[in-house]
Amino acid sequence: MSEWLTGAIARGQGISDWLAPKRAQALELLSQTAWPTRRTEAWRYTPLRSVERSIAKDQVQTTGLSPVDIADLHMTELVFVNGRFDVQQSSSELPTGLSIVLGSELNNADQALAIEQFSSIKPSRHLFGLVNDALASDVVVVAIAAGADIEKPIRISSLLSSGAEAHTRVQVKLGDGAKATVIEDVQAQGDTLSTAFVEYDIADNARLEHYRFALQTNTNVAIGGSHFNLNNKSKMHSTIVAFGSDLSRLDTDIIHAGEFADAKLNAMYLLDGKELFDLHATVEHAMPNGTTEENVRGIVADRARAVFNGRIHIHRDAQKTLAELNNRNLLMSDKAEINTKPELEIYADDVKCAHGATIAEIDKQALYYLQTRGVSRSKAQVMLNFGFINELIDLMPNAALAEWVRPIIRERFAQMEVK
């Protein structure tokens, strides 16, 4: 066991609060868990040296941090600063049908329900999910009433100042027939370590539009997860936009726990320098008539490294399932690296499933052609790269968010050079 994990367990053992039963379970599992090495399949291409070098700090400057504007959208804000829920920056006036409460402030009955839901969707196999179970200072519980249509997006912002370590946790429950948009956003100044996990329980006929912007770069270590439980005829559409950093890891789990559930996941990652981004996505089809469409695209430049593991598991009772997984990657350097592993595990016999992965280099002839027509090399790169990614941006349900993220991605492309 690593010194860092030993220290995390010791810190978790020193916390006594309403989450004590769940912390105890997590600490017990952590004490039995081996620290990942290159022989650990889930971490085979993602070394944890940057985590091991991290040193927890008791006091870090927290003033002056506030969420950046996104697309001039009016949003319901849920703000964490260095792992602590910030009541002052979070929205106090909520639309009808929406409740946002700290778990420690719930009454006994609601607290018991929150404890029951805690880690019921996030699988226990996620090492840093268990770390988050043990070290999160509290849980923010977001509840959307049955039939409610929450028009304003709900943004979960995690703000980190230099040198901070943070562990944030949110539970989101959509009642029957409810509709909502949730945006997860991490903003870090540098040299930080964070775990951020959100669990979504999507009831019958409910609709969730989800975004996760993991745009932290440089020396940040960001490990997190978004985990979804779909019930009868519920729908979700998730979009992930990620840059790389010293270590950036995201685990996504989608569980089809009801019939006729529909899931769409689109992810794009853009890496430069010596950055690392690791996306592990697992879809569990446990019930019949479910559909999943998963599209993941990455562009990797310089000496950056990307890891993608996409697994779709069709259980024996999940007849009439339709599932498709596609991963496409573009390498801009001879030293850039992508490790991709799409998987289908099928135990039902009446299904339609497909999966595939491609890795290619940027077309240098096309790059040369554009340059001969008076287009600068940097602009030509942006044009070619943007065409590769833009299809997924066009699929974002929120047009304002799509227009907001486009110039950010263009600027990122301009920094990435073909070598």
Side-chain angles (χ1 to χ4, degrees):
M1 184 178 295
S2 78
E3 183 178 343
W4 185 90
L5 185 56
T6 300
I9 291 173
R11 283 182 283 149
Q13 290 171 337
I15 303 173
S16 179
D17 58 7
W18 69 283
L19 284 170
K22 292 295 184 178
R23 292 189 197 280
Q25 292 176 15
L27 290 168
E28 177 64 24
L29 288 173
L30 284 173
S31 67
Q32 301 171 12
T33 302
W35 188 248
T37 67
R38 292 295 293 268
R39 295 183 179 180
T40 308
E41 184 62 26
W43 294 91
R44 184 176 179 183
Y45 302 105
T46 306
L48 292 172
R49 292 187 296 270
S50 53
V51 177
E52 293 171 326
R53 291 194 298 264
S54 174
I55 300 174
K57 298 180 181 179
D58 295 330
Q59 294 183 347
V60 176
Q61 181 70 27
T62 60
T63 58
L65 296 177
S66 58
V68 298
D69 291 334
I70 290 184
D72 295 324
L73 288 173
H74 296 290
M75 296 181 288
T76 298
E77 300 284 359
L78 194 164
V79 181
F80 293 90
V81 176
N82 293 334
R84 301 284 178 175
F85 185 62
D86 190 329
V87 177
Q88 299 299 321
Q89 295 196 73
S90 298
S91 299
S92 57
E93 296 184 7
L94 305 179
T96 302
L98 175 62
S99 169
I100 300 177
V101 185
L102 272 173
S104 57
E105 297 177 359
L106 292 170
N107 61 42
N108 291 338
D110 289 338
Q111 205 169 79
L113 290 174
I115 289 177
E116 183 179 345
Q117 184 180 342
F118 188 88
S119 281
S120 64
I121 301 171
K122 174 182 66 62
S124 60
R125 68 175 180 273
H126 297 313
L127 168 65
F128 288 91
L130 293 173
V131 170
N132 187 274
D133 289 353
L135 296 182
S137 60
D138 209 334
V139 179
V140 176
V141 179
V142 179
I144 299 154
D149 185 354
I150 308 301
E151 294 184 1
K152 290 170 57 176
I154 303 164
R155 178 165 67 159
I156 303 169
S157 296
S158 181
L159 313 180
L160 299 163
S161 55
S162 181
E165 178 176 327
H167 306 278
T168 60
R169 190 59 165 270
V170 180
Q171 294 177 357
V172 180
K173 168 69 176 178
L174 280 76
D176 292 352
K179 297 179 182 179
T181 298
V182 179
I183 301 169
E184 299 178 44
D185 183 30
V186 178
Q187 301 167 30
Q189 293 183 345
D191 192 24
T192 66
L193 186 150
S194 65
T195 67
F197 288 82
V198 185
E199 296 180 282
Y200 297 88
D201 189 14
I202 308 168
D204 294 353
N205 299 294
R207 305 287 185 269
L208 172 66
E209 185 181 320
H210 169 263
Y211 300 88
R212 184 153 183 157
F213 296 112
L215 306 181
Q216 66 282 340
T217 57
N218 299 320
T219 56
N220 294 296
V221 176
I223 304 174
S226 301
H227 310 280
F228 308 88
N229 188 65
L230 295 165
N231 289 285
N232 294 320
K233 297 183 179 179
S234 61
K235 293 185 177 182
M236 61 161 285
H237 190 298
S238 177
T239 302
I240 298 168
V241 183
F243 296 163
S245 64
D246 208 22
L247 169 57
S248 182
R249 163 77 176 234
L250 178 62
D251 285 279
T252 298
D253 293 276
I254 301 171
I255 303 168
H256 287 255
E259 291 194 58
F260 297 99
D262 178 70
K264 289 182 173 62
L265 173 63
N266 294 322
M268 59 204 89
Y269 44 85
L270 316 169
L271 315 183
D272 198 12
K274 295 182 180 180
E275 296 172 347
L276 169 65
F277 176 70
D278 181 345
L279 174 62
H280 273 58
T282 300
V283 181
E284 299 284 351
H285 277 274
M287 298 294 286
N289 300 294
T291 59
T292 294
E293 182 180 347
E294 185 175 344
N295 293 290
V296 180
R297 295 190 183 180
I299 298 180
V300 188
D302 202 4
R303 298 186 179 186
R305 292 179 295 125
V307 181
F308 172 68
N309 183 266
R311 178 173 179 263
I312 298 179
H313 179 197
I314 314 295
H315 294 235
R316 191 175 303 277
D317 294 331
Q319 304 294 344
K320 305 293 184 182
T321 290
L322 301 176
E324 184 173 353
L325 165 62
N326 191 309
N327 176 224
R328 296 173 61 189
N329 299 278
L330 189 61
L331 298 180
M332 296 179 62
S333 164
D334 292 339
K335 296 181 179 179
E337 181 180 316
I338 169 69
N339 295 282
T340 179
K341 184 183 178 184
E343 301 178 65
L344 281 177
E345 186 174 347
I346 303 173
Y347 296 97
D349 54 14
D350 186 9
V351 301
K352 291 183 180 180
C353 299
H355 72 307
T358 61
I359 301 174
E361 296 180 350
I362 195 166
D363 190 336
K364 294 186 179 180
Q365 277 192 321
L367 185 65
Y368 175 74
Y369 175 83
L370 289 172
Q371 288 180 274
T372 62
R373 294 303 184 269
V375 180
S376 69
R377 181 182 176 88
S378 60
K379 288 184 178 179
Q381 288 179 194
V382 172
M383 291 170 65
L384 293 173
N385 287 334
F386 202 77
F388 184 73
I389 291 291
N390 194 50
E391 183 180 349
L392 294 189
I393 299 176
D394 286 340
L395 292 175
M396 292 172 64
N398 190 306
L401 280 176
E403 289 307 309
W404 169 76
V405 82
R406 276 194 176 94
I408 295 174
I409 290 178
R410 285 195 187 99
E411 183 179 351
R412 181 69 165 170
F413 284 150
Q415 300 168 357
M416 300 164 67
E417 296 184 5
V418 177
K419 296 181 180 180

